[in-house]
Amino acid sequence: MSAATTEHVERPAWMEKPKPVTQGAKGLALVVTVLVVVVPFWVVFATSFAPDQQVIDNGGYALWPDTWTLRAYDLIFSGGQITRALGVSAGITVVGTAFSLACTVLLAYALARPGVVGGKPVMLLILFTFLFPAGMIPSFLVVNELHLRNTYWALFLPVLISAFNLVVMRGFFQGIPLELFESAKIDGANELRILLTIVLPLSKAVIAVVGLFYAVGYWNDFFRAILYTDQSTMWPLQTWMRTYVVQAQSSMVQVQGGVNEQIQFAPQTVNMAVVVLATVPILCVYPFIQRYFTKGVLTGAVKS
């Protein structure tokens, strides 16, 4: 047997079999991380269903309700404000995400095609806005001059296209082989048909990821409603959640009979109930696109 075959070849450090101590430390770190993430969610969920007296006795929180009650949810739904806010948030999220995805796909496809007239200056302008955003006052002046204040358009048009999402999607489109475009043009397909029949079916991952980014942004936003609207009936759920959390006290609640009554309650139960309502929709959507998340982000970030 030759010396070459008997010589011990050391593997790189990242290929070495981990020691039991290392595996145990990794497992412990994973358990701690999961607890840090899961426990706050459970506390919020449990507190929203806990009786008021238990929450007050425990200092504002409950790890497990003595009796499960829907009083906090009945309270916030009794006046119809939260119900309307849920509808506003859902509408803004769906419509805004659809418009944003359509505009981002069209612009990213145009900037990804080689030889587009003015493509580089437009891309530099987009990157400039990404590094140096306009700010609150110029945005407010633009919305006001366009007569968009106190309209739902003001809640998504000012942020219709995200420069980051555009760069990610453009990088993904640039990774598609040019031979596919050339063969389609030989068959007589125009740019719109190439986009619809070739590019979009191959881009499900990045579209799902960018759509999630847009949807989460629209769903979680509360500040634009305060900035651009004077009517509380137009507020989305997140703005009402901010109101409940900031006030954190007994408030006048519009009951179904149309009479304002002073209702004493533990404010934490109502705050947590609103948080649950604001969090559950996104948690329900995310599992369906989780498999696209890593692929879409990493593939779109290969090129810029």
PDB file of all heavy atoms in Angstrom, residues 135-148:
ATOM      1  N   GLY A 135     -38.328  61.602   2.879  1.00  0.00           N
ATOM      2  CA  GLY A 135     -38.680  62.074   4.211  1.00  0.00           C
ATOM      3  C   GLY A 135     -40.165  62.334   4.345  1.00  0.00           C
ATOM      4  O   GLY A 135     -40.934  62.282   3.378  1.00  0.00           O
ATOM      5  N   MET A 136     -40.589  62.633   5.560  1.00  0.00           N
ATOM      6  CA  MET A 136     -42.014  62.752   5.868  1.00  0.00           C
ATOM      7  C   MET A 136     -42.626  64.014   5.280  1.00  0.00           C
ATOM      8  O   MET A 136     -43.700  63.975   4.670  1.00  0.00           O
ATOM      9  CB  MET A 136     -42.205  62.721   7.381  1.00  0.00           C
ATOM     10  CG  MET A 136     -43.652  62.838   7.826  1.00  0.00           C
ATOM     11  SD  MET A 136     -43.815  62.721   9.617  1.00  0.00           S
ATOM     12  CE  MET A 136     -42.903  64.196  10.117  1.00  0.00           C
ATOM     13  N   ILE A 137     -41.965  65.168   5.444  1.00  0.00           N
ATOM     14  CA  ILE A 137     -42.560  66.439   5.014  1.00  0.00           C
ATOM     15  C   ILE A 137     -42.718  66.511   3.500  1.00  0.00           C
ATOM     16  O   ILE A 137     -43.803  66.855   3.002  1.00  0.00           O
ATOM     17  CB  ILE A 137     -41.742  67.628   5.560  1.00  0.00           C
ATOM     18  CG1 ILE A 137     -41.823  67.653   7.091  1.00  0.00           C
ATOM     19  CG2 ILE A 137     -42.246  68.948   4.981  1.00  0.00           C
ATOM     20  CD1 ILE A 137     -40.994  68.751   7.728  1.00  0.00           C
ATOM     21  N   PRO A 138     -41.687  66.206   2.693  1.00  0.00           N
ATOM     22  CA  PRO A 138     -41.907  66.209   1.238  1.00  0.00           C
ATOM     23  C   PRO A 138     -42.991  65.232   0.805  1.00  0.00           C
ATOM     24  O   PRO A 138     -43.783  65.544  -0.098  1.00  0.00           O
ATOM     25  CB  PRO A 138     -40.537  65.812   0.688  1.00  0.00           C
ATOM     26  CG  PRO A 138     -39.570  66.218   1.740  1.00  0.00           C
ATOM     27  CD  PRO A 138     -40.272  65.968   3.030  1.00  0.00           C
ATOM     28  N   SER A 139     -43.039  64.054   1.426  1.00  0.00           N
ATOM     29  CA  SER A 139     -44.086  63.090   1.070  1.00  0.00           C
ATOM     30  C   SER A 139     -45.475  63.635   1.388  1.00  0.00           C
ATOM     31  O   SER A 139     -46.413  63.487   0.589  1.00  0.00           O
ATOM     32  CB  SER A 139     -43.857  61.769   1.814  1.00  0.00           C
ATOM     33  OG  SER A 139     -42.615  61.212   1.488  1.00  0.00           O
ATOM     34  N   PHE A 140     -45.604  64.285   2.529  1.00  0.00           N
ATOM     35  CA  PHE A 140     -46.895  64.864   2.895  1.00  0.00           C
ATOM     36  C   PHE A 140     -47.298  65.964   1.909  1.00  0.00           C
ATOM     37  O   PHE A 140     -48.464  66.056   1.504  1.00  0.00           O
ATOM     38  CB  PHE A 140     -46.833  65.428   4.310  1.00  0.00           C
ATOM     39  CG  PHE A 140     -48.102  66.106   4.750  1.00  0.00           C
ATOM     40  CD1 PHE A 140     -49.143  65.359   5.260  1.00  0.00           C
ATOM     41  CD2 PHE A 140     -48.249  67.476   4.642  1.00  0.00           C
ATOM     42  CE1 PHE A 140     -50.317  65.972   5.671  1.00  0.00           C
ATOM     43  CE2 PHE A 140     -49.411  68.100   5.042  1.00  0.00           C
ATOM     44  CZ  PHE A 140     -50.455  67.343   5.565  1.00  0.00           C
ATOM     45  N   LEU A 141     -46.344  66.790   1.505  1.00  0.00           N
ATOM     46  CA  LEU A 141     -46.645  67.865   0.560  1.00  0.00           C
ATOM     47  C   LEU A 141     -47.082  67.312  -0.794  1.00  0.00           C
ATOM     48  O   LEU A 141     -48.007  67.840  -1.421  1.00  0.00           O
ATOM     49  CB  LEU A 141     -45.427  68.775   0.397  1.00  0.00           C
ATOM     50  CG  LEU A 141     -45.019  69.584   1.632  1.00  0.00           C
ATOM     51  CD1 LEU A 141     -43.745  70.377   1.363  1.00  0.00           C
ATOM     52  CD2 LEU A 141     -46.147  70.509   2.076  1.00  0.00           C
ATOM     53  N   VAL A 142     -46.426  66.243  -1.242  1.00  0.00           N
ATOM     54  CA  VAL A 142     -46.808  65.632  -2.515  1.00  0.00           C
ATOM     55  C   VAL A 142     -48.215  65.057  -2.430  1.00  0.00           C
ATOM     56  O   VAL A 142     -49.054  65.268  -3.323  1.00  0.00           O
ATOM     57  CB  VAL A 142     -45.787  64.542  -2.912  1.00  0.00           C
ATOM     58  CG1 VAL A 142     -46.300  63.750  -4.113  1.00  0.00           C
ATOM     59  CG2 VAL A 142     -44.440  65.172  -3.234  1.00  0.00           C
ATOM     60  N   VAL A 143     -48.498  64.320  -1.361  1.00  0.00           N
ATOM     61  CA  VAL A 143     -49.834  63.732  -1.191  1.00  0.00           C
ATOM     62  C   VAL A 143     -50.892  64.819  -1.110  1.00  0.00           C
ATOM     63  O   VAL A 143     -51.976  64.705  -1.699  1.00  0.00           O
ATOM     64  CB  VAL A 143     -49.863  62.843   0.069  1.00  0.00           C
ATOM     65  CG1 VAL A 143     -51.290  62.415   0.402  1.00  0.00           C
ATOM     66  CG2 VAL A 143     -48.985  61.619  -0.126  1.00  0.00           C
ATOM     67  N   ASN A 144     -50.594  65.894  -0.428  1.00  0.00           N
ATOM     68  CA  ASN A 144     -51.551  66.992  -0.288  1.00  0.00           C
ATOM     69  C   ASN A 144     -51.791  67.691  -1.624  1.00  0.00           C
ATOM     70  O   ASN A 144     -52.933  68.020  -1.964  1.00  0.00           O
ATOM     71  CB  ASN A 144     -51.043  67.989   0.754  1.00  0.00           C
ATOM     72  CG  ASN A 144     -52.091  69.027   1.104  1.00  0.00           C
ATOM     73  OD1 ASN A 144     -53.228  68.676   1.431  1.00  0.00           O
ATOM     74  ND2 ASN A 144     -51.719  70.300   1.036  1.00  0.00           N
ATOM     75  N   GLU A 145     -50.726  67.918  -2.400  1.00  0.00           N
ATOM     76  CA  GLU A 145     -50.875  68.592  -3.685  1.00  0.00           C
ATOM     77  C   GLU A 145     -51.636  67.738  -4.694  1.00  0.00           C
ATOM     78  O   GLU A 145     -52.304  68.264  -5.584  1.00  0.00           O
ATOM     79  CB  GLU A 145     -49.502  68.954  -4.249  1.00  0.00           C
ATOM     80  CG  GLU A 145     -48.805  70.082  -3.515  1.00  0.00           C
ATOM     81  CD  GLU A 145     -49.568  71.397  -3.622  1.00  0.00           C
ATOM     82  OE1 GLU A 145     -50.162  71.654  -4.692  1.00  0.00           O
ATOM     83  OE2 GLU A 145     -49.588  72.156  -2.632  1.00  0.00           O
ATOM     84  N   LEU A 146     -51.528  66.435  -4.560  1.00  0.00           N
ATOM     85  CA  LEU A 146     -52.250  65.538  -5.466  1.00  0.00           C
ATOM     86  C   LEU A 146     -53.669  65.254  -4.987  1.00  0.00           C
ATOM     87  O   LEU A 146     -54.370  64.434  -5.594  1.00  0.00           O
ATOM     88  CB  LEU A 146     -51.488  64.211  -5.601  1.00  0.00           C
ATOM     89  CG  LEU A 146     -50.114  64.290  -6.285  1.00  0.00           C
ATOM     90  CD1 LEU A 146     -49.431  62.938  -6.277  1.00  0.00           C
ATOM     91  CD2 LEU A 146     -50.260  64.806  -7.717  1.00  0.00           C
ATOM     92  N   HIS A 147     -54.076  65.914  -3.903  1.00  0.00           N
ATOM     93  CA  HIS A 147     -55.431  65.778  -3.353  1.00  0.00           C
ATOM     94  C   HIS A 147     -55.739  64.322  -2.975  1.00  0.00           C
ATOM     95  O   HIS A 147     -56.847  63.823  -3.212  1.00  0.00           O
ATOM     96  CB  HIS A 147     -56.470  66.294  -4.345  1.00  0.00           C
ATOM     97  CG  HIS A 147     -56.235  67.707  -4.786  1.00  0.00           C
ATOM     98  ND1 HIS A 147     -56.447  68.801  -3.970  1.00  0.00           N
ATOM     99  CD2 HIS A 147     -55.769  68.203  -5.966  1.00  0.00           C
ATOM    100  CE1 HIS A 147     -56.155  69.912  -4.625  1.00  0.00           C
ATOM    101  NE2 HIS A 147     -55.724  69.580  -5.836  1.00  0.00           N
ATOM    102  N   LEU A 148     -54.760  63.667  -2.389  1.00  0.00           N
ATOM    103  CA  LEU A 148     -54.941  62.282  -1.956  1.00  0.00           C
ATOM    104  C   LEU A 148     -55.219  62.156  -0.471  1.00  0.00           C
ATOM    105  O   LEU A 148     -55.500  61.051   0.008  1.00  0.00           O
ATOM    106  CB  LEU A 148     -53.687  61.461  -2.293  1.00  0.00           C
ATOM    107  CG  LEU A 148     -53.365  61.287  -3.779  1.00  0.00           C
ATOM    108  CD1 LEU A 148     -52.071  60.528  -3.958  1.00  0.00           C
ATOM    109  CD2 LEU A 148     -54.510  60.589  -4.504  1.00  0.00           C
TER     110      LEU A 148
END
